[in-house]
Every structure is written in structure tokens, then in C-alpha cells.
Amino acid sequence: MHPAEHTPATAPRAYAPSPHQARVLAFVEQGTGHAVVEATAGSGKTTTLVQVARLLPEHEPACFLAFNRATAAELRARLPPHVEATTIHALGRATLLRGLAGARGVTPDEGKYRALALALLRERAAGLGEAAALAGHLARLAGFARLELTDARDPSAVQAVAERYGLESPVTAALTPALHGLLPALLERGTAAARAGRVDFTDMVYLPVALRLAPPRFGFVCVDEAQDLSPLTLAFVLRLVEGGARAVFVGDPRQAIYAFAGADRRSLARVAAATGASVLPLSVSFRCPTRHVALARRFSPAMEPAPGAALGSVRLAPLGRLPRLARPGDLVMCRVNGPLVELCLRLTAAGTPARVLGADLAGPVVALARRLFAGRLPPDAEAVVARHAEAEARSLEQRLLTSAALGEALRRSREAHQALALLLAKLGAGRPRRLDDLERLARTLLVDDPEADAAPTPGVVLSTIHKAKGREAERVFLLFPEELAPRPDGGAPAAAALAEPPLDEEAEANVLFVALTRAKRELVLVERHPGAVAARVAAHRAQRTRPGAAHERERLPARWSEVLGLAALMARSPEPRLAVGRRRAAPPRPRSDRRR
């Protein structure tokens, strides 16, 4: 963030934009056309947007579109009264309510398409199999097809969507075209149901686009986190542009990490192509210290530290020390959920308040507990969970033996069972335990709370890297860095048990960039065991000497190994002499602290 964002209210300071920020403001005030602002991590983006809003004439309606409700609320509190702050889905819902009379007053029904698919299958596809088993697949396919604006009548396009999102067909290859052939009818029924007041979350944007409903008119629109636009949300925003709005799209292609959820990580390039937008950089980070920028530049070469930025700290620590090191206000990140629950419980047992971010974990754990137990928990509840975990793993392997989705399904099952077992242990044995006590504990420790790290006495926040995007902390712990970006030859042995298979190297590189840019002061790389990072770096160096290995240097495993090597050097040298590229002159430092 820009320093002005941390200024106490009791001592207001005049806003002094950086050169990059000044160019954005000048473009808005004096230029014409649209803009794409490529804002790196901690570049003072929010401050810049607020200043942009203050330049807009009061007589002209303007709208700032945020990625989620929490960000919209934060913007709303800081923007001038004549500038609206909302989300794309909220604006889509307003468009739907205004343009589709039957939809007035509705709330999203997330089970809508499964129920419609179930009825459709029973009517038209009795020969395909058990309708209840097929309805979930067809509903998920309808969700991604809407996000992608897929032509449901094109079988090859529908199959491509199913493959891109790992939707394993529940029927044979011979029957899959017949199952997918029901998608056009399902979407038609979805539209008809919306006219009767029944919509789901995606419908709030899909229907205004599909039915070409007129959105509200604005003279100026600003789209935040534009790197995470899906084809659907981009189409909706472009409708605002077609209506006469001048638009500024703000985002960072290096932080596009939600492709698995429908986002198009090339959306900024598509925006520039569709609108002829000027591209303006915000490449100076006011959050990240110099050492962290040096690491992150392996993935974002244009990133720069702020003039006079602190050096910052990089440390290595073994996993066993983490419960003693972590303090309230710290952020602990991992590539996946699994290890976070156990760490959370260890911290709370030691008297350190902590919570895991992620409703995507709390929901499955509570659902699993309800399936296994009713009312009072049996004395052998832990054994029940262990037996069910083994049985479910065997069932998944039988059903998905030849499927690419097997690894992900096993990981999710393992995480839910492990979390449930840990929560049972937290409740304690030898005393009556009830299901509602377990559910309360799960929803207390496993939450998706945007304000969890902003409470007056914050605890330790534990999060996946994906959930940590948009967050920052003075000190950040990154778990098991030696297992990230594993080599195809298995160079990081435990990685298969830890990480999801990456969609591709570009997507995974963006995840690593996000991980490196959350800390404002100190980054602690937490090894599974002492020396694990050194072993990863040594293996990489040995690989470089092989004949023909030169072409692998730009592959992600090699780049990450180089980052870890540099991080290890920083950890051994409290005042390293590092070159991080061009930057404005900083105040003189002691000789031992100067960088070449």
C-alpha cells in the first residue's frame, strides 16, 4: 500500500503521488479513452483509485466495481458521495431486477440448476443412469459453461469446458455426448425459472448478458482486480462501456490465480484488445521490502521497491518451531488447506488465538460430521472417522481409477477427514461430546472472515495462498517452500502429497508471486524439516550440470529453486549486498548495507 494509506486520522497528510500514480491521474483528468492499469502487489492501488474518484465531475454518474463485498465496503467509505462502489454481481442483480419483472425480490438459490437437471434427466434421459448421480455433473457443467459463455449447442466446446475444469463424466465415453447434449435444454429451463423469480449467483451476471438487458448507464467505470474477470464478467463490463462509460481496468496479470474458478488470467490483454485501452504501469511496491522484491522479480521483472524501502528480512525455520514463533497479527500460508488445521489447533492449545480462513474447508468438514454422526458423538468417534476415511479412499479409487480427477478427490477427502479428527481431539475425550459442539468449533476455527486480520486484537491468520491474496501482514510464514513447483522427475518428494497439480506453469508462477508479496517486513520460509530448502537448492544445482539442461532454466521448477537459493543466502546474511534493478537513489546507508 501507499504510505498515505497508513497515515493516522489524527495527523492527515497531503497526498503525494508517485510518478507512476501521477501518470494514471493525469490520464484520467486530461486523457481520453480507456486504460488498463497494471498494478503490482502493494503499489498503492486503493489510494490511487480514491484519488481518481476525486477527479471525476460530480454531475457524471460513476461506478467502481470491486472483487468482493468487503472491498466494495472499504471503497464506499473512502470514495466521494457521487461515486458508487459495488460488485459486478450486485450490479448484475440490479440489472436483472430492473429488466426481468419476475425476478424482483429474489435471493440466490444455489441448488437451482441441480434441481432443474434432476427433473430434466428423469424426463428425457432415463437410460443414462441414476438421475441423482448425473444431476450434479450437469449442474457444474452449466455453471462453467455460463462463466465461459460457451455455445451449449457445440459439443466440442462443451467437452473442452468439461476437460478444462476437470469435470469427469459420470457415464461412459459413449454416453457422454448424450448427457452433455442436455445442456442447452438445462440453460433454457434456467432462463425460464429466472423469469419466475428463481436465480443462482452466476445467473445475476449471466442473464443480463444472455438476455441483453440494459445495465445502468455511467459516465465512468473503474474495475478493480480486473485480472480475475471471467469471459462472462468481462462481457458484462463491456456492456457498460457500450453504454457510453469511459473505463479504467486495474489489475495485475502476475496475480491472476483463479483460473480454476472460471477467471480468464489473460483478461487484461483481452480488455486492451477489445477497448483499445492505454496500458499504464503501477510497478513500484510500497508494501514489499527490497529483499522480497528481489525474490518476486523472478516472476515479475518490472516490479520495483519504493525509494528508500527497508531491506526487510528473510528467514528459514523448521516446522517444529512455528508454534513458538507465530504471534497474533502474523499470516501463515500454505499451498493447500491440509496442514493448516493442525497448526491452528496447536497454536490455540499454546494460548495463541488463531483461525483458518476458508469456508471451502468448514463446509465439507461440517457436512462430513453430519453424515457420520447424529446428536451425541460416540466415544469412538475418532475411530469412526478413520474407518470412513479408508472406505471413502477405496471407493474413490474404484470409481476414478483412470480419471485425472482422482488425485484431487483423494486430497479433498483426506483434508476433510483429517480436519474432523483434529477437531474431535480438540473437543477432548472422556466427556460427553455433541455434534453441535463440533459444528460450533469448526465454524469458529475454520472461517472465511474478511475482517479476521483487522480485529482490534487479531490472532494468527492461517490461509491457503489463494485465500491470502489481497492480504498483507508485517510477518508472513510460508509453509514447505521446498515442495512447491516440484520437478517433473520428483525432485521434491513430498510435493505430490501437498500440492494440487498446477493447471500450467504460468498459473502456478502467479501463485508463487502472490506468496512472496504478502509480507511488509519479514518473510519466514518454514521447512518441513531442517535443511529441506538447502537440499532442494543443491538438487537444482546438480541438475544444471547435466547435458542439455540449459533449456530448463526458465522452467518454473528451476526458477523457484533459484528463488529459494537467493532466499537462503539472504537468511544467512543479515545485510546482503543485492542488486534488484533500477531504483531512485535512497538516503546513504552504512557501507555494509549498500547494494551493488
Side-chain angles (χ1 to χ4, degrees):
M1 293 186 179
H2 191 278
E5 296 185 32
H6 303 285
T7 303
T10 55
R13 289 169 49 190
Y15 173 67
S18 71
H20 286 314
Q21 293 168 331
R23 282 193 285 273
V24 172
L25 299 177
F27 179 85
V28 170
E29 189 171 29
Q30 303 165 16
T32 59
H34 312 291
V36 168
V37 178
E38 294 190 346
T40 196
S43 61
K45 175 185 67 173
T46 303
T47 293
T48 306
L49 295 183
V50 171
Q51 296 304 317
V52 164
R54 291 174 179 169
L55 295 175
L56 303 176
E58 294 186 10
H59 65 274
E60 184 176 76
C63 182
F64 280 44
L65 296 173
F67 184 67
N68 54 41
R69 288 179 295 176
T71 305
E74 177 191 353
L75 276 173
R76 198 174 298 122
R78 300 179 60 183
L79 295 177
H82 66 282
V83 179
E84 179 180 351
T86 187
T87 65
I88 291 176
H89 280 81
L91 189 60
R93 183 176 184 272
T95 302
L96 188 63
L97 296 181
R98 188 174 65 173
L100 208 60
R104 289 179 183 162
V106 300
T107 55
D109 173 8
E110 292 311 308
K112 167 187 170 178
Y113 279 87
R114 191 183 189 286
L116 293 175
L118 188 61
L120 181 63
L121 285 159
R122 286 171 174 166
E123 289 174 20
R124 299 191 186 180
L128 288 179
E130 174 57 40
L134 308 183
H137 172 81
L138 201 53
R140 288 191 296 274
L141 183 60
F144 285 116
R146 285 176 290 156
L147 288 174
E148 294 265 344
L149 291 178
T150 303
D151 181 356
R153 301 186 184 279
D154 181 346
S156 61
V158 172
Q159 181 60 29
V161 168
E163 292 175 358
R164 184 154 53 249
Y165 293 102
L167 302 182
E168 191 75 16
S169 176
V171 298
T172 65
L175 293 177
T176 296
L179 177 61
H180 290 178
L182 296 173
L183 184 60
L186 177 58
L187 294 180
E188 289 172 3
R189 292 191 179 195
T191 300
R195 296 184 187 280
R198 192 177 179 191
V199 301
D200 73 352
F201 188 69
T202 302
D203 273 344
M204 292 194 290
V205 181
Y206 173 73
L207 290 171
V209 171
L211 300 178
R212 295 199 61 81
L213 303 178
R217 288 185 173 271
F218 297 101
F220 186 92
V221 171
C222 181
V223 184
D224 193 14
E225 301 290 355
Q227 79 279 348
D228 291 325
L229 292 173
S230 65
L232 172 61
T233 50
L234 175 57
F236 180 77
V237 173
L238 291 179
R239 293 291 309 281
L240 301 176
V241 174
E242 292 170 7
R246 186 184 182 201
V248 171
F249 297 81
V250 184
D252 182 3
R254 304 294 181 182
Q255 297 186 69
I257 62 174
Y258 289 111
F260 67 91
D264 178 3
R265 64 177 177 275
R266 295 181 176 83
S267 60
L268 289 176
R270 299 191 198 284
V271 165
T275 65
S278 301
V279 178
L280 304 171
L282 284 181
S283 54
V284 175
S285 177
F286 296 94
R287 172 196 302 154
C288 300
T290 299
R291 289 171 178 158
H292 303 181
V293 172
L295 299 175
R297 283 186 60 155
R298 196 65 180 90
F299 304 107
S300 181
M303 187 181 189
E304 302 176 56
L311 285 175
S313 173
V314 177
R315 295 171 57 195
L316 300 178
L319 178 62
R321 291 187 59 202
L322 180 56
R324 296 193 300 273
L325 293 174
R327 295 289 181 268
D330 290 343
L331 171 64
V332 179
M333 295 185 299
C334 186
R335 183 64 178 80
V336 293
N337 275 314
L340 299 176
V341 179
E342 182 178 2
L343 273 174
C344 181
L345 294 175
R346 289 172 64 188
L347 287 167
T348 56
T352 302
R355 52 179 51 185
V356 180
L357 297 183
D360 55 340
L361 184 59
V365 170
V366 169
L368 176 61
R370 289 175 177 173
R371 287 206 310 272
L372 296 182
F373 310 116
R376 189 180 298 275
L377 302 176
D380 65 340
E382 288 87 342
V384 171
V385 173
R387 289 194 297 269
H388 188 271
E390 293 177 3
E392 186 165 282
R394 288 195 298 270
S395 174
L396 289 171
E397 288 172 356
Q398 290 172 359
R399 277 196 301 115
L400 303 175
L401 184 60
T402 61
S403 168
L406 176 59
E408 170 68 5
L410 287 172
R411 182 185 70 77
R412 288 185 178 276
S413 174
R414 183 172 58 249
E415 283 187 354
H417 285 87
Q418 287 176 348
L420 180 54
L422 289 167
L423 292 172
L424 286 167
K426 174 71 173 177
L427 284 178
R431 63 181 183 86
R433 297 178 295 180
R434 296 187 58 81
L435 181 59
D436 54 358
D437 296 329
L438 181 67
E439 290 189 14
R440 275 195 296 272
L441 179 62
R443 298 198 183 280
T444 298
L445 296 180
L446 313 177
V447 297
D448 191 5
D449 179 5
E451 307 303 325
D453 60 350
T457 54
V460 176
V461 175
L462 300 101
S463 169
T464 63
I465 298 172
H466 283 85
K467 287 285 183 182
K469 183 175 173 294
R471 295 179 176 273
E472 61 181 26
E474 291 291 328
R475 181 166 60 172
V476 170
F477 295 85
L478 176 61
L479 299 187
F480 317 137
E482 71 276 9
E483 298 172 8
L484 299 176
R487 297 199 309 268
D489 63 359
L498 172 68
E500 304 172 27
L503 296 176
D504 56 39
E505 289 199 354
E506 181 184 349
E508 196 68 7
N510 290 349
V511 173
L512 298 177
F513 175 78
V514 169
L516 291 171
T517 55
R518 300 305 95 195
K520 296 160 63 178
R521 177 176 56 85
E522 183 172 30
L523 175 63
V524 184
L525 303 180
V526 181
E527 305 170 288
R528 192 176 289 274
H529 55 80
V533 166
R536 166 73 183 257
V537 173
H540 166 65
R541 288 172 179 162
Q543 289 278 61
R544 288 191 307 180
T545 64
R546 294 183 312 161
H551 72 281
E552 296 182 3
R553 189 175 186 277
E554 291 306 312
R555 297 293 302 275
L556 182 61
R559 285 192 287 159
W560 182 243
S561 294
E562 291 174 3
V563 167
L564 293 181
L566 180 56
L569 178 64
M570 293 175 179
R572 290 195 300 270
S573 175
E575 295 180 327
R577 296 164 63 84
L578 298 171
V580 296
R582 296 184 304 274
R583 53 180 306 209
R584 282 168 47 185
R589 300 177 183 272
R591 181 171 298 276
S592 63
D593 200 23
R594 292 181 187 167
R595 294 172 295 282
R596 283 194 294 267

